[in-house]
């Protein structure tokens, strides 16, 4: 029954791309309040699409933050399974804007890739699901499965309100399993099943010294420099061997079995040099780059700033310095506990003469793992292989999707991660893009999957 | 003969302050090319003032950068000494602009202080000299000394072109001694002779990792984080005891004699907590804050930045990180040698997986010391005491004035530092100001000094 739907997607490819470009043209940046209006416009786009498809109970749920789009399709009948489809319509900030080769919110196709913020993470992949729903409904008149749609606008700011809503209205979102397309394949056109995700936590460190920037000639030697103080604090948290030196950080880490190290070793990993331009990898002592990214916790400084940044020299001791830190966690680690360990460490090494404040990021999630041989996973692998004409591989990845942990915690249902991104998509970076190959074959995969399920 | 000149300054105080405010209203920021026009306007202001005073050979010398204002007064006759008067009309940048209580270039008097960028460093003090010249010429019809005026527009960017010009045209600038008012007193209304200044050098460190900001979930564990790499480099350059740990940094440092430590101890130093808001001083192990600021070399990070600085979280490994570093040097240390030691150290500890580049700041100067009992210094002390009605103290300070070293190197003439700033002037910071007390008594000091010289 899937052939007609696939034919529809092929014959309507142009219109669908135009519609996708409308969606990607909305600058729905969730972290910056100036984009509040755009966020609502992006939510409206999805609502209107679902209403056009005759979905039921389509609504924008008030979260207290950015709205969550909810909708139902019950046309598959009581005997068909119900899938909870999750995605997000918000995107990351675009800075540094000057490093984009084309406008982040003016989609442009170059060399078979669609360039736009959100093209891969996650608006592009959300759109593919909507297009596949359309293809089935316009050809078969029905979907093979019942659907509950849950598309939020706060994923890039830690899904601040989603957990509470899922928890409070668990009946409303209840389903037999969940499908999420907010991840990637390990290589272009290499079907990939994600069976493990990392958890996540973070802190911000603010170091304050003099109550204003002071002359380095007059006060150098008399007061502590906040930037240097922050350097000493941070350098004490991870050593040059990429080993985190915060007491207890590795205590609860589930050890990496020889079997899994073999599995990881077999995965044709991506070319880090090609993807990042870095000639030499740097990983936790005793582990390969693939092992560290897939299955070992990480500690990264995402941003740091203090003092003069302009051209030329400004001979000051600055009044403050700030660092933003996030950690990716593995099964066994508790985000809140790790966050506390980080704060305790910072406080324990804070030098005299400056004030050191630690702000705990709300953003937090446990790691996740599912059994690769679960039937719903095997059907996904089969659909991938059918669409891409290639064997599907099973991997764990370093990314974090808090909602995955919450679906498991609240509903205890299987979660299938059908990702179509590629390592070259430059998520969260200038020149984010998505291959049109993934767009076409990804939708074909989804068509196959829904018919497999039924 | 100085009474009439002092009377003139008193009776014309209002007009002089209005004229000073015109000068301070010109945003002559030398480090930022957008202010090129303002720089020229500030130079014109001085040229016009000197022409009104009938100075000879008044000109704006082309330096290749910002112009240098030159002029001569020869009316004191061949038997009178010739003084080389140096100052600068350029100012520091004003950021962070939001921390100013009034517009940096709209002078405003509050609680006996004149608030404006440059009010103390150095436009205010340059203006005092011009006003004193005016007072003498309008009352006595002549100055007690011949004068060569050298007022540059590049002091805050390291006097990039001054040395070459002084060197190439040493005849033109030749004088019996030099007077500079670009420094301060150790406390308000405490006459202070500066007999020692620190030298200066600096480097910028640029650490580059991936060729674009990359997702911390996808690449954390595979590549080196440039910010963390920079943290390790910087933390290895100065320890928590405020001791610089760069090999050879202290090798040529002239040891601090017990006599001088006593002298420093006797100086009623400023209240660091009041001036900076910092409760606890932090100084090189084994030295007091006063000793370190006055007579020991310093190492300060003036600015550092890399990665995300906006609100919220951005889970990236940034493509680069930068730190701006300056050192204040003491007698015995060679700036170029120290600069090389810094670069060698950075290169020696640079970790694998990132590219580390060191940019040597052009800004560089040796430290300076003069004998406190030189007659020209003693006359200065006498004039201070006469004007302020208080004994003059002798101190060394942490600031650097490259031109002092150059005057000594090229002309080998005595250099008298007549500074009238105060510790609360907030040089290089928001809310820079200058006490009107210093304005009045400082000009009176200059009147006394010129008559003492003759």
């Amino acid at each position: 029954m899937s052939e007609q739907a696939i034919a529809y997607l092929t014959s309507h490819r142009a219109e669908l791309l135009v519609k996708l470009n409308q969606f990607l043209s909305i600058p729905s940046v969730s972290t910056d309040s100036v984009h509040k209006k755009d966020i609502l416009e992006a939510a409206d786009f999805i609502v209107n699409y679902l209403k056009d498809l005759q979905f039921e109970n389509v609504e924008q749920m008030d979260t207290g933050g950015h709205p969550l789009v909810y909708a139902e399709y019950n046309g598959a009948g009581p005997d068909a399974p119900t899938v909870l489809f999750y995605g997000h319509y918000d995107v990351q900030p675009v800075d540094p804007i000057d490093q984009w080769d084309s406008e982040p919110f003016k989609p442009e196709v170059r060399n078979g890739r669609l360039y736009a913020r959100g093209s891969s993470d996650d608006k592009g992949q959300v759109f593919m699901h909507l297009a596949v729903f359309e293809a089935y409904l316009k050809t078969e008149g029905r979907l093979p499965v019942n659907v509950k749609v849950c598309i939020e606008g706060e994923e890039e700011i830690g899904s601040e309100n989603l957990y509470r809503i899922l928890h409070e209205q668990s009946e409303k979102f209840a389903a037999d399993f969940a499908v999420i397309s907010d991840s990637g394949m390990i290589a272009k056109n290499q079907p990939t099943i994600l069976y493990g995700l990392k958890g996540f936590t973070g802190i911000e460190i603010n170091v304050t010294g003099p109550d204003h920037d002071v002359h380095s000639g007059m006060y150098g030697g008399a007061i502590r420099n906040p930037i240097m103080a922050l350097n000493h604090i941070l350098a004490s948290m991870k050593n040059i061997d990429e080993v985190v030196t915060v007491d207890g950080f590795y205590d609860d880490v589930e050890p990496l079995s020889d079997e899994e190290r073999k599995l990881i070793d077999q995965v044709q990993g991506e070319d880090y040099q090609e993807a990042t331009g870095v000639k030499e990898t740097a990983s936790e002592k005793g582990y390969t780059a693939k092992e560290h990214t897939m299955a070992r916790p990480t500690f990264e400084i995402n941003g740091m700033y203090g003092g003069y940044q302009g051209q030329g020299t400004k001979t000051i001791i600055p009044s403050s310095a700030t660092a933003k830190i996030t950690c990716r966690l593995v099964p066994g680690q508790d985000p809140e506990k790790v966050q506390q360990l980080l704060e305790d460490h910072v406080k324990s090494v804070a030098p005299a003469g400056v004030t050191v404040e630690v702000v705990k990021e709300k953003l937090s999630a446990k790691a996740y793992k599912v059994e690769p041989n679960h039937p719903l996973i095997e059907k996904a692998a089969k659909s991938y292989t059918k669409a891409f004409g290639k064997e599907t591989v099973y991997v764990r990845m370093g990314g974090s999707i808090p909602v995955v942990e919450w679906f498991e915690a609240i509903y205890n249902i299987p979660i299938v991660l059908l990702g179509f991104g590629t390592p070259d998509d430059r998520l969260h970076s200038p020149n984010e893009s998505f291959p049109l190959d993934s767009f076409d074959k990804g939708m074909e995969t989804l068509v196959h999957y829904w018919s497999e399920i039924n």
Side-chain angles (χ1 to χ4, degrees), chain A:
Chain A
M1 65 187 283
S2 52
E3 289 65 22
Q4 296 180 50
I6 290 168
Y8 178 93
L9 292 168
T10 310
S11 58
H12 292 72
R13 186 171 188 269
E15 300 93 298
L16 289 171
L17 277 175
V18 168
K19 193 165 183 175
L20 169 57
N21 287 355
Q22 291 167 3
F23 190 32
L24 294 175
S25 301
I26 306 166
S28 50
V29 178
S30 51
T31 196
D32 191 339
S33 45
V34 304
H35 289 290
K36 184 75 187 164
K37 193 185 105 311
D38 307 308
I39 280 283
L40 297 177
E41 189 183 341
D44 288 338
F45 176 94
I46 300 163
V47 163
N48 295 331
Y49 202 152
L50 291 166
K51 282 181 174 171
D52 292 345
L53 297 179
Q54 310 298 323
F55 271 55
E56 302 166 49
N57 306 319
V58 182
E59 61 171 314
Q60 286 191 26
M61 293 177 65
D62 177 8
T63 65
H66 303 316
L68 182 155
V69 177
Y70 177 84
E72 295 174 7
Y73 174 78
N74 301 311
D79 302 339
T82 297
V83 61
L84 175 59
F85 162 53
Y86 166 88
H88 64 92
Y89 63 83
D90 64 321
V91 297
Q92 280 276 319
V94 297
D95 62 315
I97 183 71
D98 59 322
Q99 289 179 27
W100 285 77
D101 297 330
S102 57
E103 296 280 320
F105 298 110
K106 286 186 184 157
E108 183 175 297
V109 173
R110 299 194 298 273
N111 314 321
R113 283 188 162 269
L114 178 60
Y115 286 84
R117 169 62 84 222
S119 55
S120 179
D121 178 15
D122 179 39
K123 286 156 92 176
Q125 301 197 57
V126 164
F127 184 88
M128 288 160 66
H129 278 272
L130 301 178
V132 167
F133 294 154
E134 174 183 333
Y136 265 109
L137 292 166
K138 293 292 167 83
T139 53
E140 306 290 331
R142 64 184 291 276
L143 295 177
V145 292
N146 295 312
V147 182
K148 287 183 178 178
V149 173
C150 170
I151 302 176
E152 69 162 326
E154 301 186 308
E155 198 273 346
E156 301 295 1
I157 50 175
S159 304
E160 283 172 357
N161 299 291
L162 184 62
Y163 179 79
R164 180 178 39 79
I165 288 166
L166 292 174
H167 196 267
E168 287 170 0
Q169 308 187 41
S170 53
E171 261 317 303
K172 180 173 191 166
F173 292 90
D176 300 306
F177 67 107
V179 164
I180 301 174
S181 297
D182 189 21
S183 52
M185 308 182 292
I186 60 166
K188 193 156 172 294
N189 295 328
Q190 171 54 67
T192 307
I193 289 285
L194 244 188
Y195 72 98
L197 286 168
K198 281 184 179 172
F200 189 101
T201 193
I203 60 168
E204 180 174 298
I205 306 175
N206 297 303
V207 179
T208 311
D211 54 22
H212 62 287
D213 294 348
V214 297
H215 192 294
S216 65
M218 293 172 67
Y219 301 105
I223 66 173
R224 182 87 65 186
N225 185 315
I227 302 178
M228 183 53 101
L230 185 51
N231 272 283
H232 279 289
I233 291 169
L234 294 169
S236 75
M237 300 179 84
K238 188 167 81 170
N239 68 22
I240 217 71
D241 293 327
E242 296 292 321
V243 175
V244 177
T245 47
V246 173
D247 272 352
F249 184 80
Y250 295 104
D251 282 359
D252 306 325
V253 171
E254 181 185 279
L256 196 55
S257 69
D258 295 348
E259 294 67 23
E260 194 154 16
R261 293 184 91 155
K262 257 195 225 78
L263 187 65
I264 292 172
D265 186 52
Q266 282 155 13
V267 176
Q268 165 62 42
E270 73 176 296
D271 183 329
Y272 290 116
Q273 179 167 351
E274 194 191 322
T276 68
V278 174
K279 292 186 182 58
E280 194 170 359
T281 60
S283 309
E284 181 183 354
K285 194 172 190 181
Y287 297 89
T288 66
K290 270 191 295 180
E291 287 170 343
H292 194 173
T293 51
M294 289 191 193
R296 293 288 297 176
T298 62
F299 173 105
E300 297 297 345
I301 305 168
N302 307 119
M304 178 170 176
Y305 52 95
Y308 187 61
Q309 301 191 15
Q311 68 181 95
T313 303
K314 189 155 184 252
T315 52
I316 55 166
I317 296 174
S319 61
S320 69
T322 297
K324 293 167 175 283
I325 296 161
T326 51
C327 291
R328 302 283 178 167
L329 310 177
V330 297
Q333 288 183 294
D334 174 64
E336 282 67 29
K337 181 181 173 187
V338 170
Q339 204 169 35
Q340 190 57 52
L341 291 173
L342 296 177
E343 176 172 21
D344 294 345
H345 177 94
V346 170
K347 292 297 173 69
S348 71
V349 298
V354 288
T355 305
V356 177
E357 174 206 34
V358 172
V359 181
K360 291 176 170 174
E361 291 289 346
K362 291 197 221 84
L363 194 53
S364 187
K366 280 205 180 76
Y368 170 78
K369 255 175 92 176
V370 64
E371 282 319 309
N373 56 9
H374 187 288
L376 284 165
I377 298 293
E378 288 178 335
K379 287 178 177 179
K382 193 173 157 200
S383 305
Y384 261 120
T385 300
K386 220 162 146 186
F388 285 84
K390 201 165 174 193
E391 269 315 304
T392 300
V393 297
Y394 293 73
V395 301
R396 288 170 63 177
M397 275 195 180
S400 310
I401 310 177
V403 68
V404 170
E405 179 212 354
W406 301 338
F407 282 172
E408 188 183 43
I410 299 170
Y411 308 111
N412 187 31
I413 52 174
I415 299 153
V416 184
L417 302 171
L418 296 173
F420 303 106
T422 75
D424 302 331
D425 291 0
R426 302 203 163 186
L427 308 183
H428 297 204
S429 304
N431 298 317
E432 177 179 353
S433 68
F434 191 68
L436 293 177
D437 274 3
S438 291
F439 183 68
D440 299 325
K441 293 179 180 154
M443 290 193 293
E444 195 178 327
T445 304
L446 294 174
V447 170
H448 291 311
Y449 190 57
W450 296 138
S451 60
E452 284 282 341
I453 295 299
N454 200 356

